[in-house]
Amino acid sequence: MDWTTASANKRSALDATIPPEWRLDVSWNDDPPMGFWAKSRVLTPKELTITEMPATLLVQELANGKLTAVAVTTAFCKRAALAHQLTNCLHEFFPDLAIAKARSLDEYFAKHKKVIGPLHGLPISLKDQARIKGVETSMGYVSWLDKKETEDSALTMLLEKAGAVLYVKTSVPQTLLCCETINNVFGRTINPRNRDWSCGGSSGGEGAIVAMRGSIIGVGTDLGGSIRVPAAFNSLFGLRPSHGRLPYAKLANTMEGQEAIHSVCGPICHSIPDMRLFVQSILSQNPWMYDSKVVPMPWRKHEEDAIKTKISSRSLTIGYYSCDGNVLPHPPILRAVEIVKRRLAKAGHMVVPWQPYKHAFAADLASRLCVADGGTEIFSNLRASGEPAIPNIDYLIRPEQPKMDVNELWNAQLQKWNYQNEYLEKIRCFEEKHGRELDAIIAPTSPYACVRHNKFNYYGYATVINVLDYTSVVIPVTFATKSIDRASYQFAPLSDLDRLVQAEYDPEAYHGAPAAVQVIGRRLTEERIMCIAEELVRLLRDD
């Protein structure tokens, strides 16, 4: 069977999992996806209400018996089916299994009058990297089709142990190595706000389904921005935790065994309280007992309380930068950073410029480490089916791409470690100069508010944080406004890449695009950075 036939068969099989009564009239596909709810009669008014509730409230209503797991799961299965038909955000959909699981949770609750765990009855969506026993994990490779998993990933198992209901696996780009979401099996996933915009990647399916509220909390992964870019492009919240905080064991991956820059998993959601619910729920299951790389570090309330004390005394110290010195962000992103900076200062906190240190070097180092094998693994997966590479990753899989030998790889890894230590020294110098602890850094997540298809050309704003292995939380700030966010005609390009990125900006084309920032902290500071991000959200709303 050739790769095109195999892909067509898989798409047909996925379509068949959607019940006829959950299908949309194809004529509605001409509208922006996010605007279709008023026209759809698939969800009942109660189901629409359920899918609009925050996760923190849903788990409360499930725990007190006001909602059943079957009702909640059915509502999200329906909305996920609609989201997929409008954005193409799914790789796997298994509503029958999910509703059966929800029914067993309701039976347990009826018998014992208590919940199984902190996520009892809450549907959670998973990026296609997560292994679920009996379900396929294709990751957008044709050669990976028709192979059902024989075991669960550690995270999958822990989510079910906490009471979550699993019902979908979401779309990724071929190889996972680009910040758009397209592959030869399922095609392209689009942005719910505008069909011409990317949903981000590589956790793009999670960005789309959560934005459409076909999921309330979705699990993504991040090697170079793959949680943060979809969160930013879809006006959502995303957490890139440090390596070792949340379990990654037995997740499928590209470049498995690559240890120089670790991929991490984390949530994409609608609020910081929902983000905190997810992290606390996973940590409550002792993930270090199931993944040897997880640091045995339960949720540290004292770290959160330390930041709350600084917030109440208006004594946060926040660094910020608008440009990394390599590529200047588009006007909506520059304005978003300025909004956050101004609001923090107005609240009485100390806001000080941060000088990005060798970010161009770190971005280049990340690119070299991610193709240290010369593209051997990628070529192997593609050749197994005969499928071509998507255009977005041509730069990664050039046949002439050289492999690093062992000594070159060791040297590159040493450069990374040296860079991490140098960055710490810069933080120490900052703190000595100002006589205060640096609590966080505010920065762009990418140079784009959103990007048109096949136009994402610069990863540095996100990737440098992966090299440092710092904690980062994305928060939505504003939206691009064509009357305000005009391109500068006096612009002098910082580099050829900068010239390319700036040429893409069009105020008309990007009007209404979400503009976000990332809140960055040192390694393993998840409690602190989530708390600071939550305070920023409050300040922005008050403003």
Side-chain angles (χ1 to χ4, degrees):
M1 184 188 303
D2 66 31
W3 73 266
T4 57
T5 302
S7 297
N9 289 346
K10 179 60 181 178
R11 290 193 299 273
S12 295
L14 176 60
D15 290 343
T17 62
I18 300 175
E21 62 271 22
W22 296 358
R23 296 183 184 275
L24 286 170
D25 186 328
V26 293
S27 67
W28 292 358
N29 287 352
D30 294 331
D31 297 335
M34 197 166 276
F36 87 96
W37 299 112
K39 296 181 179 180
S40 170
R41 297 181 182 178
V42 172
L43 279 80
T44 66
K46 182 179 179 180
E47 289 168 338
L48 194 59
T49 298
I50 286 171
T51 55
E52 295 288 335
M53 292 168 67
T56 49
L57 180 56
L58 279 170
V59 293
Q60 289 177 21
E61 299 287 81
L62 285 156
N64 63 28
K66 291 183 180 179
L67 288 173
T68 66
V70 167
V72 173
T73 299
T74 301
F76 278 101
C77 282
K78 283 186 175 183
R79 193 149 178 169
L82 299 177
H84 174 65
Q85 292 172 79
L86 289 153
T87 66
N88 196 34
C89 60
L90 299 184
H91 282 185
E92 302 291 335
F93 185 43
F94 35 98
D96 292 345
L97 290 175
I99 292 169
K101 173 67 174 180
R103 189 173 293 113
S104 71
L105 290 170
D106 286 337
E107 290 168 356
Y108 179 93
F109 185 84
K111 181 178 180 179
H112 299 282
K113 306 303 180 188
K114 64 178 183 178
V115 296
I116 281 181
L119 299 177
H120 181 103
L122 185 70
I124 299 283
S125 56
L126 299 172
K127 186 178 184 177
D128 194 27
Q129 286 179 259
R131 289 188 167 101
I132 301 174
K133 187 176 181 179
V135 178
E136 286 185 35
T137 302
S138 69
M139 291 228 304
Y141 280 125
V142 178
S143 61
W144 287 31
L145 293 173
D146 300 322
K147 299 173 185 176
K148 293 190 176 180
E149 297 295 346
T150 58
E151 60 180 347
D152 292 330
S153 298
L155 181 64
T156 304
M157 180 271 295
L158 291 172
L159 283 169
E160 291 196 310
K161 191 166 174 266
V165 178
L166 311 178
Y167 62 118
V168 296
K169 293 178 67 178
T170 57
S171 56
V172 302
Q174 182 193 75
T175 76
L176 303 179
L177 295 177
C178 64
C179 280
E180 299 189 57
T181 298
I182 181 172
N183 60 67
N184 291 322
V185 182
F186 302 95
R188 184 186 298 278
T189 304
I190 62 171
N191 191 297
R193 284 180 167 78
N194 188 314
R195 294 181 175 278
D196 294 330
W197 297 342
S198 169
C199 62
S202 63
S203 310
E206 285 302 329
I209 196 172
V210 176
M212 296 288 283
R213 299 192 81 96
S215 171
I216 192 67
I217 299 176
V219 178
T221 66
D222 195 311
L223 175 69
S226 293
I227 288 172
R228 288 162 292 154
V229 170
F233 281 12
N234 290 283
S235 195
L236 298 168
F237 295 81
L239 168 66
R240 188 264 175 215
S242 292
H243 171 63
R245 198 68 202 274
L246 295 177
Y248 205 93
K250 299 181 182 178
L251 287 173
N253 208 355
T254 193
M255 303 181 304
E256 261 185 322
Q258 186 277 124
E259 295 282 311
I261 299 178
H262 290 98
S263 181
V264 297
C265 62
I268 296 175
C269 50
H270 287 274
S271 71
I272 299 298
D274 285 359
M275 181 184 292
R276 187 180 291 114
L277 169 68
F278 177 87
V279 174
Q280 289 180 330
S281 297
I282 296 300
L283 294 180
S284 73
Q285 307 303 309
N286 299 333
W288 44 88
M289 298 297 294
Y290 304 90
D291 182 344
S292 63
K293 291 186 177 180
V294 174
V295 180
M297 183 184 290
W299 181 265
R300 299 166 298 174
K301 189 175 183 299
H302 65 276
E303 291 287 302
E304 188 178 19
D305 289 343
I307 292 300
K308 287 180 179 179
T309 298
K310 289 189 174 187
I311 289 170
S312 63
S313 62
R314 299 174 182 265
S315 60
L316 288 174
T317 304
I318 307 293
Y320 74 92
Y321 62 91
S322 298
C323 179
D324 66 356
N326 199 35
V327 169
L328 181 72
H330 288 174
I333 300 301
L334 296 174
R335 183 164 60 87
V337 173
E338 185 62 29
I339 288 171
V340 174
K341 167 193 158 187
R342 185 178 66 240
R343 194 61 192 89
L344 279 164
K346 182 179 177 182
H349 300 293
M350 183 175 179
V351 187
V352 184
W354 173 261
Q355 182 61 44
Y357 176 70
K358 293 172 60 174
H359 280 209
F361 162 81
D364 177 69
L365 179 63
S367 296
R368 289 189 286 119
L369 285 167
C370 285
V371 290
D373 72 339
T376 298
E377 188 207 38
I378 294 171
F379 275 123
S380 175
N381 285 320
L382 297 181
R383 287 169 178 161
S385 67
E387 68 168 308
I390 58 172
N392 313 65
I393 60 164
D394 279 346
Y395 71 100
L396 283 172
I397 58 165
R398 300 189 310 271
E400 71 277 11
Q401 180 75 39
K403 284 186 180 183
M404 286 188 185
D405 64 27
V406 171
N407 294 100
E408 289 172 328
L409 180 59
W410 287 353
N411 180 260
Q413 292 174 168
L414 180 60
Q415 289 179 50
K416 184 199 76 169
W417 190 16
N418 289 338
Y419 177 71
Q420 291 172 329
N421 286 323
E422 290 166 12
Y423 218 92
L424 276 178
E425 183 179 0
K426 293 296 180 183
I427 292 174
R428 289 198 306 274
C429 291
F430 177 98
E431 292 176 338
E432 289 170 6
K433 177 181 178 180
H434 296 284
R436 299 167 66 130
E437 178 185 27
L438 178 64
D439 295 304
I441 298 171
I442 304 298
T445 306
S446 86
Y448 315 97
C450 236
V451 74
R452 288 180 284 198
H453 301 312
N454 301 327
K455 297 291 186 179
F456 197 106
N457 288 300
Y458 185 63
Y459 297 76
Y461 282 97
T463 303
V464 170
I465 309 309
N466 297 80
V467 174
L468 293 167
D469 192 26
Y470 283 179
T471 300
S472 175
V473 172
V474 167
I475 62 168
V477 177
T478 187
F479 294 89
T481 304
K482 60 185 178 182
S483 61
I484 300 173
D485 300 313
R486 311 301 299 182
S488 171
Y489 293 101
Q490 286 75 44
F491 170 71
L494 300 171
S495 62
D496 289 340
L497 183 57
D498 191 28
R499 189 190 307 275
L500 179 65
V501 169
Q502 298 310 317
E504 171 53 23
Y505 184 63
D506 180 339
E508 295 284 342
Y510 288 116
H511 179 69
V517 300
Q518 58 180 330
V519 187
I520 304 162
R522 275 169 277 197
R523 289 193 71 244
L524 300 168
T525 55
E526 288 75 26
E527 295 91 344
R528 285 175 167 254
I529 298 306
M530 277 189 260
C531 191
I532 292 170
E534 190 170 33
E535 173 64 5
L536 287 178
V537 172
R538 187 189 70 78
L539 292 175
L540 291 169
R541 286 175 179 165
D542 287 350
D543 204 28

